[in-house]
């Protein structure tokens, strides 16, 4: 059963998600990550994340971010 959760399956899932990513999101994220200054890079990535949350890159990614946020919250 380890093969199911191994690197191969996770890699294919991540690759499929990257391919389904809107082109504008990919460009904005690539641009943000290419910045040399750490503060500028963090600010640019934060803007991309906020854009996802606002639905700038489509409803699908907005829903994914909302469900990820819910999973990240603790029940304590």
């Amino acid at each position: 059963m380890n093969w199911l959760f191994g690197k191969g399956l996770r890699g294919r899932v991540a690759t499929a998600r990257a391919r389904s990513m809107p082109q504008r999101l990919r460009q904005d994220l690539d641009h943000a990550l290419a910045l040399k200054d750490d503060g500028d890079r963090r600010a640019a990535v934060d803007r991309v994340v906020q854009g996802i949350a606002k639905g700038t890159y489509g409803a699908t990614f907005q829903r994914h971010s909302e469900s990820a946020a819910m999973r990240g919250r603790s029940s304590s």
Side-chain angles (χ1 to χ4, degrees), residues 10-25:
R10 279 183 273 157
R12 285 191 299 272
V13 170
T15 302
R17 281 190 187 143
R19 269 185 264 146
S20 69
M21 188 180 297
Q23 186 176 8
R24 182 174 171 207
L25 173 56

Side-chain angles (χ1 to χ4, degrees), residues 14-38:
T15 302
R17 281 190 187 143
R19 269 185 264 146
S20 69
M21 188 180 297
Q23 186 176 8
R24 182 174 171 207
L25 173 56
R26 170 52 58 196
Q27 290 171 343
D28 290 351
L29 191 56
D30 286 343
H31 175 69
L33 295 174
L35 295 172
K36 300 292 182 198
D37 182 63
D38 191 46

Side-chain angles (χ1 to χ4, degrees), residues 4 6-8 10 15-16 20 22 25 28-30 32 39-41 45 49-50 52 56-57 66 69 72-73:
L4 182 61
K7 181 180 174 184
R10 279 183 273 157
T15 302
S20 69
L25 173 56
D28 290 351
L29 191 56
D30 286 343
D40 290 343
R41 185 174 49 250
V45 169
V49 170
Q50 290 170 0
I52 291 170
T56 303
Y57 302 106
E66 289 169 353
R73 293 185 184 161

